[in-house]
Amino acid sequence: MTLSHTIFDFYRTIKQIALTPAVGLIALSQAQAADLPVKAKAVEYVKVCSLYGAGFYYIPGTDTCIKLGGFLRADMMLGTNSFVLPPLSGVGAAHNRLSNYYTTRARQDLTIDTRTATEYGMVRTYFEATFNWKAGSTSSTGTGATSYSGDGVGLGSLGVYLAFIQFAGFTMGKTVSQFSSPWTNYPANSFDGLPGGGGDATGVNQLSYTADLGQGITATISAQDPTAYYQTNIWNTTGATAAGIVTGAYGAQNFGGSRAPDVVGMMRVDQAWGLFQASVAAHNNHSAYYGSNETTGYPRDKWGWAGQLALSIKNLPTGAGDTINLQGAYTSGATMFSIQENFPTAWAIYGSTGRAGAYQSLGIAGVSDAIYSGATAATGTGLELTTTYGFNGGFTHNWNPNWNTGFFGGWAAIRYTGAAKAQICGSAGMAALGLTGVCNPDFNIAAVGTITRWTPVKNLTFSAELGAIFLDQKYSGTITAPTVAAVAKPAAVYELKNQSAVSLLLRAQRNW
């Protein structure tokens, strides 16, 4: 071994001796560093958003504000099978052993409101849904048995009321029609049975633009879906039957597919004293065919229209917070802008009679946008548009911060043209009934009621509401009606007569 090899081996040994402890110290220091506590990332707490009023919070990590809300409601309706009206049709209006003396419902409402400030203004989304459970009704099968229909044990229903986006003056999605007044169908009430004004509290699909003209004045133009709430019957009276007429249906239902949206215009003045609003709407009536296929031809489309005026007066001398709300509407071929969504479109109310030879009395009424007849283009008629007009209103008085009372009423008239009356009264269905008196499908509706509310603590309200509806029908005489199996009414002679219905709503509601 040379001297150079010896020196190199000695150097390598010394290097290993020197580096081994250093490596150990480095490893030890790394292990100790791993054991040391690391400073945690700061928790981002939810912050209050004061830009849009109480209840809004920033969504963490964003500049979007959100507000959750809703209510839970428990209802009992006395004297009806419905939750919205006194009994006007079906087993509730039969007034026999199938009719409910009371009906109950529970409802949870949920709202989600988000808002974001942008260089174009606020971007807003809004969603409202309800989760419902309600008792049902019992109907006859016509064979000596009955069947029950309702939400059932453990089941329920979901309602999507509102779901829309607002941006730069535009509103897109499902929200209250721009035709409606701010109080829709409720000038002082929870009762859903006021005629004489158009409104849809549960919203309609639309594309709208609102211009703010300043000084509390706004103007809106809107295109909205006509099918959900704003079209009613287009009857072909050639298909009328005796069984249909005694339930309030004057022919075969004969809608065509959607062709055009309803076009709505609205202008509103909102001031400290109250509010004034004028609304107009155009509605296209589009039927299917005269017969069963496209070779039979069809009546030409006809546009209907509607107009409404609404007035709200605040700061009344009767007391702080008292209000008067009024509205009136006129329609031609656009009936649902006056006879609002909660009413049935076919009425059949049974009652007593003093006429000799009659089994009971019956009030029938049918609501339509248009009437026509014919099985082919050669024998068919054009559309005859139905006219309506009416008004409603309400007054709310606050006795003190915990108690208030509302009084409300409404009236509406439904009028058919002479040609439409001839088609209804000359139909095979009417002939089969053997009417002995006057045939006139025109009718009036009136409704009145009162409600008292008690709010013992904030956001908890108990209320009792009494409402009545009156049908002023224009038929007279008697008919020989066929069996109506679903409501257990026998084939018999019935006197055609005005009818009325009363119901009482008891409600507990907790808002949050």
Side-chain angles (χ1 to χ4, degrees):
M1 178 180 295
T2 64
L3 180 60
S4 61
H5 285 135
T6 301
I7 294 172
F8 177 76
D9 289 340
F10 176 76
Y11 170 76
R12 186 172 61 183
T13 300
I14 295 300
K15 182 179 179 181
Q16 288 175 346
I17 293 172
L19 289 179
T20 298
V23 173
L25 289 172
I26 292 171
L28 179 61
S29 65
Q30 289 176 340
Q32 290 174 338
D35 292 336
L36 292 174
V38 178
K39 185 177 181 181
K41 185 178 180 181
V43 176
E44 188 169 2
Y45 294 100
V46 175
K47 297 186 297 183
V48 172
C49 174
S50 59
L51 296 175
Y52 309 110
F56 281 92
Y57 296 87
Y58 283 102
I59 298 174
T62 76
D63 57 357
T64 296
C65 300
I66 187 169
K67 180 180 181 179
L68 303 180
F71 61 80
L72 197 147
R73 173 186 295 169
D75 290 335
M76 176 182 287
M77 284 284 284
L78 303 179
T80 182
N81 288 53
S82 169
F83 278 100
V84 294
L85 292 167
L88 305 177
S89 61
V91 292
H95 298 125
N96 59 19
R97 292 184 63 83
L98 299 179
S99 307
N100 287 356
Y101 281 3
Y102 71 94
T103 309
T104 57
R105 177 180 66 178
R107 166 173 287 179
Q108 172 65 64
D109 179 274
L110 172 67
T111 62
I112 305 173
D113 189 349
T114 71
R115 307 187 190 191
T116 307
T118 75
E119 60 269 32
Y120 297 98
M122 181 182 68
V123 176
R124 184 191 185 198
T125 68
Y126 191 87
F127 173 78
E128 181 177 4
T130 62
F131 304 86
N132 310 283
W133 192 97
K134 62 182 179 65
S137 297
T138 299
S139 60
S140 172
T141 63
T143 61
T146 60
S147 63
Y148 174 85
S149 61
D151 284 340
V153 178
L155 301 177
S157 61
L158 170 66
V160 176
Y161 279 14
L162 307 175
F164 62 86
I165 300 170
Q166 290 180 318
F167 174 67
F170 288 93
T171 298
M172 300 155 278
K174 189 173 189 283
T175 188
V176 174
S177 171
Q178 304 301 322
F179 188 88
S180 298
S181 64
W183 55 90
T184 61
N185 308 319
Y186 309 98
N189 52 293
S190 300
F191 178 76
D192 284 341
L194 286 186
D200 60 284
T202 58
V204 59
N205 283 337
Q206 62 187 266
L207 172 61
S208 304
Y209 179 76
T210 299
D212 188 341
L213 305 180
Q215 304 298 316
I217 302 173
T218 57
T220 300
I221 184 72
S222 177
Q224 70 178 35
D225 174 43
T227 59
Y229 300 127
Y230 283 96
Q231 71 176 7
T232 186
N233 301 297
I234 298 179
W235 277 319
N236 184 343
T237 61
T238 301
T241 64
I245 291 174
V246 296
T247 65
Y250 291 142
Q253 181 61 270
N254 218 2
F255 293 126
S258 298
R259 286 295 183 271
D262 289 346
V263 180
V264 175
M266 181 270 287
M267 179 166 285
R268 180 181 298 167
V269 179
D270 199 342
Q271 304 288 335
W273 56 262
L275 173 148
F276 174 78
Q277 177 178 309
S279 307
V280 294
H283 172 78
N284 184 46
N285 291 285
H286 175 78
S287 75
Y289 300 100
Y290 287 114
S292 60
N293 62 66
E294 59 191 33
T295 65
T296 61
Y298 53 86
R300 295 180 60 183
D301 290 9
K302 276 190 177 181
W303 280 86
W305 66 276
Q308 178 172 273
L309 298 177
L311 175 68
S312 180
I313 304 174
K314 300 184 291 186
N315 302 322
L316 298 173
T318 53
D322 290 6
T323 58
I324 294 176
N325 294 321
L326 303 168
Q327 59 188 353
Y330 185 99
T331 74
S332 175
T335 299
M336 299 307 284
F337 287 90
S338 176
I339 309 300
Q340 41 91 358
E341 58 171 315
N342 293 311
F343 275 111
T345 59
W347 296 32
I349 308 173
Y350 291 87
S352 61
T353 181
R355 181 178 290 247
Y359 173 69
Q360 289 178 347
S361 65
L362 173 63
I364 57 175
V367 179
S368 70
D369 279 333
I371 296 288
Y372 73 101
S373 65
T376 66
T379 62
T381 69
L383 296 179
E384 294 291 330
L385 301 184
T386 305
T387 297
T388 74
Y389 47 89
F391 62 89
N392 64 50
F395 167 64
T396 299
H397 173 62
N398 295 280
W399 303 101
N400 56 48
N402 304 105
W403 289 88
N404 70 52
T405 298
F407 302 93
F408 52 88
W411 179 89
I414 291 81
R415 298 291 183 263
Y416 289 91
T417 66
K421 291 176 183 178
Q423 292 167 30
I424 293 169
C425 295
S427 68
M430 192 65 76
L433 291 173
L435 175 63
T436 64
V438 174
C439 180
N440 184 351
D442 292 347
F443 65 99
N444 303 328
I445 313 166
V448 294
T450 182
I451 182 172
T452 293
R453 305 176 183 89
W454 175 47
T455 306
V457 296
K458 184 178 180 181
N459 293 328
L460 176 64
T461 300
F462 300 91
S463 62
E465 182 176 44
L466 182 67
I469 292 181
F470 304 89
L471 171 62
D472 174 19
Q473 52 94 60
K474 304 304 180 182
Y475 293 105
S476 67
T478 63
I479 58 172
T480 303
T483 299
V484 184
V487 298
K489 292 297 181 181
V493 174
Y494 291 84
E495 178 190 10
L496 296 179
K497 184 180 176 182
N498 296 344
Q499 304 289 340
S500 60
V502 179
S503 64
L504 175 66
L505 169 61
L506 303 176
R507 171 172 291 174
Q509 181 166 316
R510 170 73 162 94
N511 296 333
W512 57 276

